[in-house]
Amino acid sequence: MKNRQVTMKDIAKRMGVSSVTISKALNDKDGVSEELKAEIKRVSIEMGYRINTLAKSMKEGYSYNIGILIPERFTGDLQSFYMKFYNQVSKVLENYNYYAILEILDKKDEEELNFPRIYSENKVDGIIVLGQLNNDYIEMFQNIDIPNVFLDFYTDNSQFDSIVTDNFYGVYELTNYLIKLGHTNIGFVGNIHSTSSIQDRYLGYYKSLLEHNIPLKDSYIFKDRDDYGKYLDIELTGDLPTAFVCNCDQVAYNLIRRLNSLGYNVPNDFSVVGFDDDIYASLTTPPLTTVAVDVKEMSSVAVKIIIKKIKDKTAKYGRILIKGNVIYRESVNRIDCYSKS
Amino acid sequence: MKNRQVTMKDIAKRMGVSSVTISKALNDKDGVSEELKAEIKRVSIEMGYRINTLAKSMKEGYSYNIGILIPERFTGDLQSFYMKFYNQVSKVLENYNYYAILEILDKKDEEELNFPRIYSENKVDGIIVLGQLNNDYIEMFQNIDIPNVFLDFYTDNSQFDSIVTDNFYGVYELTNYLIKLGHTNIGFVGNIHSTSSIQDRYLGYYKSLLEHNIPLKDSYIFKDRDDYGKYLDIELTGDLPTAFVCNCDQVAYNLIRRLNSLGYNVPNDFSVVGFDDDIYASLTTPPLTTVAVDVKEMSSVAVKIIIKKIKDKTAKYGRILIKGNVIYRESVNRIDCYSKS
DNA sequence: CTGAAAGCGCTTACAG
DNA sequence: CTGAAAGCGCTTACAG
């Protein structure tokens, strides 16, 4: 058994007042004289009082916990990206006096459509889902009667609120930047049938071309992975563009190594840009111009929304796009300037 | 307000029994006939009952939460290592019907010696500290009256239980391996005054040399960082060893790039080993022979210990060393065999 | 096998 | 300004 904690009752007894008065004083509510309030606070510290949030929570009907649900497959070795989110969300929640509870949803539970345990056991007031769930599971989520928000992915079912990085706009900005530097032969590296975020990035690239009256060339679309996500050797034969827009930094990293091994130099022979600003962006030589996902802002918004939804169950937000930040580094050159960077 | 949940009372009313019987049935306790128990379970599912763990917790005096406390400075960009631990600990806790609550201890709170909020607010039954706290804070931790365990670091105060990777033994094994392959001129790369884990790794290297009657040479100790942890260019002049034992993978990565830029090949000209098996180990060409910290085992042990300490407040474990696993890759050659690997 | 009573530590609504 | 009473939803110990 736990050793007995100091309770409000103990303070009350010692001070000869009621525990109601203690509660009011410690919560800065009206109905206690300022002097008594100050004295109560002093004594409570002296006695080493710590509030029992469990009791408070039960009375109020709120746990002051938010669940963060991450499908197991996003927790592998290199997926530290999601942990960054978790970290940030957890930090933001503090400002609202909330805590984050992580649940990793294992494959089996996801397939068998079992409710998250944090939900079944009423551990949380709301759930932030981090990382794409399978469709059936998402459908099931509609039956969950606590607020939820999807972070970093979305679904076509408009019932759900989601917060995603603006893939489209980010690549659009990057491509505009390349064009401004004189590039007109610009390739896109990625399997445009693989994930919806790669697709959106591709469309941002395409929009930039459209706006500048640059025709889209099939031969400038370079497949980087098969439809199962397995990386392929990028085919670099025939007519090549002067700049490559890669769907992510890791692919840019692979591409640059590939180009190097063929005797090319980046950015002198080819300009290359990525997306994500993850560790690969700084491991390439030269470091990559890329788009940094705004983890901080996205996390803040996710928390704000879930807290609002807890207070107002009917609130709806839909799909919220958060702009990333273009990070300018040395992997890009003006097209008319082949002198070294 | 939350929409009202189904409670045991509701089930009781509907079935014409008391809520005590419901509680017994759902918890598989004695005192209910098997038929009634089965019927209660059926109805509770039908009614969509979810237990209110808050009420249960309050009654029992346990929150069924474990806090994971990570000092802020370990949550930066590249420290996904700690998140791996967090992940794993969280997964293991599930088996004990416990949940993990993350608290990132910010710099200010650490300096001002403020208790973690999860402690002040009684949110958790125990705390796992992940990442070295400053000494004063550790001293203060002695006054915390809930069980705690330090994960991945230790302190000389034997009051505390800690679980650390066996740095000493890991490097000892690696160095033995190099010697078995014929190396006798073996260098160590690291600032041996910088952290205690680097020091332990150095001593493992030294023990291996001792055992094989290989003299320790000052000139074979290569400083990789200053005393503040800032990386230095490693000085590679004069008499060089045939193999380098690096204190971590990132340093091995830096070293190999350095050697490459000087025109050397690894492993043909020099063998190199690292420690950690992090992303850098697979980014080097060739990939690194290194020691993988056994995150899984360390996390399991941490959880086992904290759960035991919750049940028995007097339990003591001291410093527990967990062996890492040597991962054999291609960055090492036999010394007598210069043909390619 | 079944249930009435008490209690976990708070907070809220109300009375004085 | 202060406090007695009731209640949040469970579980435990005890009585029948």
Side-chain angles (χ1 to χ4, degrees):
Chain A
M1 279 291 110
K2 284 189 110 164
N3 32 13
R4 215 175 93 48
Q5 297 264 350
V6 178
T7 68
M8 287 189 177
K9 222 172 170 179
D10 298 325
I11 306 176
K13 198 180 295 173
R14 152 111 168 250
M15 298 187 64
V17 297
S18 81
S19 61
V20 175
T21 302
I22 307 295
S23 169
K24 282 176 184 158
L26 295 182
N27 289 301
D28 278 321
K29 300 237 157 123
D30 284 346
V32 207
S33 67
E34 283 305 322
E35 304 82 61
L36 184 53
K37 187 187 281 189
E39 180 64 3
I40 287 174
K41 286 188 176 173
R42 206 187 54 66
V43 173
S44 80
I45 290 170
E46 183 192 316
M47 293 177 73
Y49 173 74
R50 288 179 289 134
I51 191 179
N52 183 327
T53 30
L54 249 38
K56 180 189 165 85
S57 288
M58 191 174 50
K59 181 71 176 107
E60 297 183 350
Y62 293 113
S63 67
Y64 294 102
N65 293 142
I66 294 291
I68 317 280
L69 190 68
I70 307 185
E72 193 177 18
R73 65 182 165 288
F74 293 104
T75 60
D77 255 12
L78 301 181
Q79 302 292 1
S80 64
F81 184 59
Y82 285 92
M83 283 295 131
K84 234 195 244 176
F85 268 113
Y86 180 74
N87 221 301
Q88 193 56 43
V89 167
S90 170
K91 215 181 254 170
V92 178
L93 278 172
E94 268 199 29
N95 304 332
Y96 294 88
N97 272 303
Y98 260 82
Y99 289 93
I101 289 187
L102 176 64
E103 175 164 354
I104 294 163
L105 182 69
D106 68 35
K107 224 173 161 175
K108 199 170 132 282
D109 286 336
E110 190 178 355
E111 278 163 8
E112 295 177 1
L113 305 182
N114 296 129
F115 281 128
R117 285 177 57 224
I118 39 170
Y119 174 70
S120 304
E121 298 180 5
N122 264 305
K123 288 287 279 192
V124 297
D125 299 337
I127 296 180
I128 295 174
V129 183
L130 190 47
Q132 183 110 41
L133 292 166
N134 76 40
N135 280 329
D136 293 342
Y137 205 91
I138 289 180
E139 284 310 309
M140 189 201 70
F141 236 80
Q142 293 189 98
N143 301 324
I144 281 193
D145 66 353
I146 58 176
N148 51 73
V149 165
F150 296 164
L151 184 52
D152 200 45
F153 76 102
Y154 68 94
T155 141
D156 42 14
N157 184 330
S158 59
Q159 292 291 333
F160 293 103
D161 297 328
S162 55
I163 295 152
V164 288
T165 198
D166 198 338
N167 288 306
F168 179 84
Y169 193 80
V171 173
Y172 168 74
E173 272 197 308
L174 274 179
T175 312
N176 285 346
Y177 170 64
L178 290 169
I179 293 173
K180 207 162 64 192
L181 293 184
H183 293 273
T184 51
N185 295 308
I186 304 175
F188 181 84
V189 186
N191 178 345
I192 63 181
H193 298 292
S194 133
T195 72
S196 88
S197 72
I198 294 181
Q199 221 161 62
D200 293 346
R201 291 175 191 182
Y202 165 70
L203 292 172
Y205 152 84
Y206 184 32
K207 180 181 167 68
S208 172
L209 297 187
L210 278 177
E211 278 194 3
H212 294 85
N213 286 309
I214 299 173
L216 179 69
K217 279 175 72 173
D218 265 3
S219 61
Y220 280 2
I221 312 296
F222 300 85
K223 209 167 169 180
D224 66 328
R225 63 190 82 188
D226 64 23
D227 290 355
Y228 303 100
K230 204 178 155 300
Y231 284 129
L232 306 168
D233 273 348
I234 299 162
E235 273 197 54
L236 294 173
T237 47
D239 171 33
L240 291 178
T242 60
F244 292 92
V245 174
C246 299
N247 77 83
C248 70
D249 291 340
Q250 191 174 356
V251 163
Y253 176 86
N254 291 341
L255 175 67
I256 289 179
R257 296 192 74 149
R258 195 75 206 298
L259 289 168
N260 289 159
S261 74
L262 295 172
Y264 295 115
N265 173 277
V266 173
N268 291 334
D269 300 318
F270 296 101
S271 291
V272 174
V273 299
F275 202 102
D276 290 338
D277 194 35
D278 61 25
I279 187 169
Y280 288 99
S282 33
L283 287 174
T284 58
T285 0
L288 280 179
T289 289
T290 185
V291 179
V293 169
D294 197 336
V295 173
K296 232 173 175 165
E297 177 66 10
M298 288 173 71
S299 303
S300 291
V301 172
V303 169
K304 249 177 243 161
I305 286 185
I306 198 107
I307 299 279
K308 274 192 195 147
K309 285 178 81 173
I310 287 172
K311 288 183 181 140
D312 171 13
K313 296 258 177 178
T314 64
K316 280 265 174 260
Y317 296 85
R319 191 155 68 93
I320 297 181
L321 296 173
I322 307 287
K323 223 172 82 48
N325 304 310
V326 177
I327 312 287
Y328 299 94
R329 298 208 185 88
E330 290 81 48
S331 65
V332 172
N333 250 14
R334 293 202 98 79
I335 184 69
D336 47 6
C337 133
Y338 276 92
S339 59
K340 38 117 279 21
S341 65
Chain B
M1 278 288 111
K2 282 187 115 168
N3 33 12
R4 213 173 93 46
Q5 298 264 349
V6 179
T7 68
M8 288 191 178
K9 225 175 171 175
D10 298 323
I11 307 177
K13 198 179 297 172
R14 152 111 167 250
M15 298 187 64
V17 297
S18 81
S19 62
V20 175
T21 303
I22 307 294
S23 169
K24 282 175 185 158
L26 295 181
N27 288 302
D28 280 319
K29 300 236 159 128
D30 286 345
V32 208
S33 66
E34 283 306 321
E35 304 80 62
L36 183 54
K37 187 186 280 185
E39 181 62 7
I40 288 174
K41 284 188 177 172
R42 207 188 54 67
V43 173
S44 79
I45 290 170
E46 184 193 315
M47 294 179 71
Y49 173 74
R50 288 179 289 133
I51 191 179
N52 183 326
T53 31
L54 249 40
K56 181 187 163 87
S57 289
M58 192 174 49
K59 181 69 176 109
E60 296 183 349
Y62 293 113
S63 67
Y64 294 102
N65 293 142
I66 294 292
I68 318 279
L69 191 68
I70 308 185
E72 193 176 18
R73 64 182 168 288
F74 293 103
T75 60
D77 254 11
L78 301 181
Q79 301 291 0
S80 65
F81 185 59
Y82 284 92
M83 284 293 133
K84 236 196 244 176
F85 268 113
Y86 179 75
N87 222 301
Q88 194 57 42
V89 167
S90 170
K91 215 182 254 171
V92 178
L93 278 172
E94 268 199 29
N95 304 333
Y96 294 88
N97 273 302
Y98 260 82
Y99 289 93
I101 289 187
L102 176 64
E103 175 163 354
I104 294 162
L105 183 69
D106 69 35
K107 223 174 160 171
K108 199 167 133 283
D109 285 336
E110 190 178 355
E111 277 163 8
E112 295 177 0
L113 305 182
N114 296 129
F115 280 127
R117 285 177 58 224
I118 40 171
Y119 175 70
S120 303
E121 299 180 5
N122 264 303
K123 288 287 277 192
V124 297
D125 299 337
I127 296 179
I128 295 174
V129 183
L130 190 47
Q132 183 110 42
L133 292 165
N134 76 39
N135 281 329
D136 292 342
Y137 205 91
I138 290 180
E139 285 310 310
M140 188 200 71
F141 236 80
Q142 293 189 101
N143 302 325
I144 281 193
D145 66 355
I146 59 176
N148 51 70
V149 165
F150 296 164
L151 184 53
D152 200 46
F153 76 101
Y154 67 94
T155 142
D156 42 13
N157 184 330
S158 60
Q159 293 290 333
F160 293 104
D161 297 328
S162 55
I163 295 150
V164 287
T165 198
D166 197 338
N167 288 305
F168 179 83
Y169 193 79
V171 173
Y172 168 72
E173 272 197 308
L174 273 179
T175 312
N176 285 347
Y177 169 65
L178 290 169
I179 293 173
K180 207 162 64 191
L181 293 184
H183 293 273
T184 51
N185 295 308
I186 304 175
F188 181 85
V189 185
N191 178 345
I192 63 182
H193 299 292
S194 134
T195 71
S196 89
S197 71
I198 295 181
Q199 221 162 61
D200 294 347
R201 292 174 190 183
Y202 165 72
L203 292 171
Y205 151 86
Y206 183 34
K207 178 179 169 68
S208 172
L209 297 187
L210 278 177
E211 278 194 2
H212 294 86
N213 285 308
I214 300 174
L216 179 69
K217 280 176 72 173
D218 265 4
S219 61
Y220 280 2
I221 312 296
F222 300 85
K223 210 167 169 179
D224 66 328
R225 63 191 81 189
D226 64 23
D227 290 355
Y228 303 100
K230 204 177 154 303
Y231 283 129
L232 306 169
D233 273 348
I234 299 161
E235 274 197 51
L236 294 173
T237 47
D239 171 34
L240 290 179
T242 61
F244 292 93
V245 173
C246 300
N247 77 83
C248 68
D249 290 339
Q250 190 174 356
V251 163
Y253 175 87
N254 292 341
L255 174 67
I256 289 179
R257 296 192 73 148
R258 195 76 205 296
L259 289 168
N260 289 162
S261 74
L262 295 172
Y264 294 115
N265 173 277
V266 174
N268 291 332
D269 300 319
F270 297 100
S271 291
V272 174
V273 299
F275 203 103
D276 289 339
D277 194 34
D278 61 24
I279 189 169
Y280 288 99
S282 33
L283 287 174
T284 58
T285 1
L288 278 180
T289 289
T290 184
V291 178
V293 170
D294 196 337
V295 173
K296 230 172 175 167
E297 177 66 12
M298 288 173 72
S299 303
S300 291
V301 173
V303 168
K304 249 177 241 161
I305 286 185
I306 199 112
I307 299 279
K308 275 193 195 145
K309 285 179 81 172
I310 288 172
K311 289 184 180 138
D312 171 11
K313 296 259 178 179
T314 65
K316 280 263 176 263
Y317 297 84
R319 190 155 68 95
I320 296 182
L321 295 173
I322 307 287
K323 222 173 85 42
N325 303 309
V326 177
I327 311 287
Y328 299 94
R329 296 209 186 88
E330 291 78 47
S331 65
V332 173
N333 251 13
R334 295 201 95 80
I335 185 70
D336 48 5
C337 134
Y338 277 92
S339 59
K340 34 118 281 22
S341 62

